[in-house]
Amino acid sequence: MAMPSPPRQETMAPHERMGAIMMGQKPDRVPFSPFIFGFCAKNVGLPVSTVYEDAEKSFFAQLRTAEMYGYDGAPLYGYASYGGWEFGGDIKMPRSRWEQAPVVAHYPVESEEDVDRLELPDVERAGSLPISMTFSRLQEKFGMPITVQLVGVVTLVGELCSVDRMCRWMIKRPELVHKLMRKAVDHLVDVAKLWVDTFPVERMQPFVGDATSANQVISPKQFEEFALPYQKEVHEKVLDMGVMSMFNHICGEQNLNLPFWRQIPHGRDGVPGILSFGHEVDLTTAIEMFGEDNIIAGNVEPRLIQNGTPEEVFAACVACLEKGKQAPNYRYMLMAGCEVPVEAPPYNLFTMRKAVMEHGFYD
Amino acid sequence: MSALQERQELLHHIRDAVVDYDEEVTVELCSNAIQVGLDAYDVVANGLALGMEEVGQLYEQKEYFVPEVLMCSDAFYAGLQHLKPHIRSDAATGSGQVIIGTVEGDVHDIGKNLVKLMLEAAGFVVHDLGKDVPLDKFVQEQQRTGADIIALSALMTTSMLAIPVVIEKMRAVNPNVKILIGGAPVSQESVDLYGADGYAETAARAVDEARRLLDLPYQE
Ligand code: B12
């Protein structure tokens, strides 16, 4: 290993750095927000499930991990299998050594008849929402963005009736999927309302994660028919409530869906949304398509963060930084392509920070 | 029309009906085939299964996506259900038995379901343990069924670490069982790393790989 040269001096605090890119101003360096959940719990000696089950412990585990690794991303609550529990099914928290996140153990919709019977949840009580609310109170108290999870509509419907069933109905019984989409939108808007009524709206940045809409699962045509109108409605209604910016994790292979994601607003009045992409979407493409009015985040492959050597992780981060720094108005942040794996070697996470310190500064 | 021509034409239509995910027509054609005296096994292997093979290709070419593939699989299974009682017990030339599942901690089962489907279409007897399968269950099922292959699917780097554990458990009780692995983070390298026997990147190729593991002839 070469003798280290003296590190560049950071001249901004994490919130100043994030604030700068939100306003299109030059930060000292590229912000680094890893996208990390279970790892944080483990990092402070807690079971992985804590990060999903216990708002307070989750918040501080994330805060401490950020402190330790010197990254800018603030604590975030949510998980991809959102919806099944909230609408009356069961959730299974990650307990065993191999698990990484909660999963739906019992779907609320298991037959065609269930679709009409499905009721909108009481958003003050249902499923993970009380945990999410406690979490947001901590975000408020600590002066951080308030990030309620409003999962993507396709992912949500997949967790209501199972992805298999949703897929079959898209072809056989499209009206059932439309009905579920309707309920998904109404629910997400209810959640957003509760948050807007509880917190200062200008501090809010809802978190939209969408995995099941990936082209590994559905076609761009199906996206256009079943996702676009509903996803757009959620964003429009939430932005109409006074929210200025949404954070979207557009998971997996979404290349064929990008033209549709472009028709969906992610911010307003010149305030950018944040769009985070998986390693499947090239950052330069993302910047060209969305960089004019959004912050682009991504997209170091999670598999590499867990299984790669530090040299490989470093090189992948540098490649991202080189592309990302071309974004207009400094609107790029370094992030993993999806959750940083729970089993990632700590040194590899540190390596991401190291890459940002050596290659992330703006001259 | 000669009997040969008639056979060809019917099989062709059955293949197309599967590809067009027309369950009703598939069943109707299978029923016609039996009526005109075609061998049920011939209809499965050279009608239904060829249809699924084409579906696998369409999926790889991004012409079809998971919804279309699942609909085709419904047509395929409906046809199969209809033909099964007519298959002579000596006809199915035992392609082998497979136990398949997504490993503990992982609920990504879409890919696993496609692999199962392609294996069944190719004549394998498949025991599907589902998703989030406790690791010991794979070994227990193998012991119960005497299956030749255990096929493990993992979609996350976290759950992928369960693969070598299953392999170790299986080898301890029966070192001859073949282990086939797959899922997005899994690669050919993982085969050596974990001591598995085979890997395939796609469901269609999983069939070739399973045949290779059991020294079965490739289909023409
Ligand atoms: C859809 C999806 C989901 C859905 C799954 C629904 C379901 N019922 O399956 C939902 C929303 C529930 C979900 C949840 C999560 N997900 Co997810 N998900 C995906 C996504 C976008 C697509 C997966 C898919 O279905 N592909 C389509 C199928 C057809 O492809 P396939 O599975 O690869 O299978 C093919 C081949 O691999 C092969 N194959 C598959 N199995 C086998 C087996 C054998 C034996 C063989 C030979 C071949 C073979 O054949 C198949 C067909 O050709 C992937 C993205 C990706 N890159 O894969 C992320 C991805 C897998 N998810 C990821 C993550 C992080 C999660 C969550 C942890 C998120 C969270 N924090 O909540 C949770 C975990 C839940 C759990 N405990 O399992 C990450 C995993 C990263 C990592 N650590 O490795 C991925 C890779 C996203 C990314 N860009 O990084 N997810």
Side-chain angles (χ1 to χ4, degrees), chain A residues 210-223:
Chain A
D210 205 15
T212 309
S213 63
N215 300 127
Q216 280 129 334
V217 186
I218 65 168
S219 71
K221 250 187 88 210
Q222 285 148 353
F223 189 98

Side-chain angles (χ1 to χ4, degrees), chain A residues 171-335:
Chain A
I171 294 179
K172 254 195 321 205
R173 302 292 310 276
E175 73 285 3
L176 295 179
V177 181
H178 285 293
K179 277 186 184 171
L180 289 173
M181 287 291 168
R182 184 72 260 142
K183 294 190 188 196
V185 172
D186 293 347
H187 168 65
L188 294 169
V189 170
D190 282 350
V191 173
K193 260 200 209 114
L194 176 62
W195 255 255
V196 168
D197 289 345
T198 313
F199 300 104
V201 69
E202 65 285 357
R203 296 254 318 269
M204 277 180 58
Q205 188 166 57
F207 160 39
V208 178
D210 205 15
T212 309
S213 63
N215 300 127
Q216 280 129 334
V217 186
I218 65 168
S219 71
K221 250 187 88 210
Q222 285 148 353
F223 189 98
E224 186 177 18
E225 178 182 353
F226 296 103
L228 177 61
Y230 299 101
Q231 195 65 45
K232 197 167 167 206
E233 184 181 340
V234 171
H235 289 227
E236 283 170 355
K237 288 197 163 146
V238 169
L239 293 168
D240 267 353
M241 292 176 199
V243 169
M244 302 302 282
S245 171
M246 326 250 300
F247 165 49
N248 306 268
H249 174 58
I250 299 176
C251 191
E253 159 62 286
Q254 296 260 2
N255 281 297
L256 303 173
N257 296 335
L258 296 182
F260 305 120
W261 282 109
R262 222 163 96 125
Q263 296 174 35
I264 297 172
H266 306 285
R268 52 172 266 201
D269 302 341
V271 179
I274 301 177
L275 298 188
S276 118
F277 292 95
H279 65 275
E280 296 91 339
V281 173
D282 178 57
L283 278 182
T284 302
T285 309
I287 289 167
E288 275 164 16
M289 289 188 75
F290 300 93
E292 228 20 85
D293 28 50
N294 295 288
I295 293 168
I296 305 300
N299 62 353
V300 186
E301 187 176 356
R303 169 165 74 153
L304 196 69
I305 301 174
Q306 181 176 313
N307 297 336
T309 62
E311 289 77 13
E312 286 168 336
V313 174
F314 190 84
C317 292
V318 172
C320 287
L321 288 165
E322 274 167 8
K323 290 179 179 177
K325 282 165 96 178
Q326 306 303 315
N329 303 317
Y330 312 101
R331 282 181 170 156
Y332 169 68
M333 70 188 174
L334 183 70
M335 196 181 267

Side-chain angles (χ1 to χ4, degrees), chain A residues 80 103 159 211 216 280 338-339, chain B residues 59 105 107-109 111 153 157 201 203:
Chain A
V103 297
E159 299 308 302
Q216 280 129 334
E280 296 91 339
C338 197
E339 181 183 353
Chain B
Y59 176 78
V107 295
H108 296 90
D109 62 351
S153 182
T157 44
E201 200 185 332

Side-chain angles (χ1 to χ4, degrees), chain B residues 2-206:
Chain B
S2 76
L4 194 67
Q5 266 176 326
E6 189 175 34
R7 167 185 174 274
Q8 292 254 304
E9 197 153 303
L10 250 175
L11 293 180
H12 197 90
H13 286 316
I14 288 174
R15 200 187 69 189
D16 287 350
V18 170
V19 176
D20 295 340
Y21 46 89
D22 196 328
E23 198 174 313
E24 237 169 85
V25 171
T26 307
V27 172
E28 204 179 294
L29 291 171
C30 287
S31 155
N32 290 353
I34 296 300
Q35 268 165 27
V36 301
L38 290 194
D39 177 64
Y41 184 72
D42 183 31
V43 180
V44 176
N46 300 307
L48 293 175
L50 291 188
M52 273 328 288
E53 208 167 284
E54 194 175 327
V55 171
Q57 282 158 11
L58 289 169
Y59 176 78
E60 277 184 37
Q61 295 157 4
K62 290 196 161 65
E63 293 276 330
Y64 273 11
F65 294 81
V66 174
E68 288 81 12
V69 175
L70 290 176
M71 292 299 293
C72 295
S73 83
D74 290 349
F76 167 83
Y77 283 120
L80 190 65
Q81 221 40 47
H82 191 84
L83 294 170
K84 253 189 187 157
H86 304 280
I87 296 178
R88 298 193 320 272
S89 53
D90 60 329
T93 44
S95 277
Q97 278 193 65
V98 182
I99 288 169
I100 195 167
T102 304
V103 296
E104 185 171 333
D106 199 330
V107 295
H108 296 90
D109 62 351
I110 301 168
K112 181 270 294 171
N113 291 345
L114 300 189
V115 174
K116 169 194 175 190
L117 171 70
M118 295 310 290
L119 288 172
E120 287 195 321
F124 287 86
V125 174
V126 183
H127 308 274
D128 183 4
L129 304 184
K131 58 191 175 186
D132 192 10
V133 178
L135 306 186
D136 287 322
K137 187 104 183 274
F138 287 102
V139 180
Q140 286 160 10
E141 273 298 293
Q142 193 288 325
Q143 296 290 85
R144 194 182 68 77
T145 59
D148 314 278
I149 296 179
I150 294 187
L152 302 170
S153 182
L155 262 284
M156 298 188 293
T157 44
T158 320
S159 55
M160 186 170 121
L161 299 177
I163 291 177
V165 180
V166 180
I167 296 180
E168 194 184 323
K169 284 175 188 281
M170 192 64 246
R171 299 272 190 251
V173 289
N174 184 344
N176 300 322
V177 178
K178 303 290 183 197
I179 314 274
L180 180 59
I181 62 177
V186 178
S187 65
Q188 190 60 47
E189 281 167 39
S190 322
V191 171
D192 301 331
L193 192 64
Y194 296 153
D197 299 296
Y199 156 80
E201 200 185 332
T202 66
R205 274 170 250 169

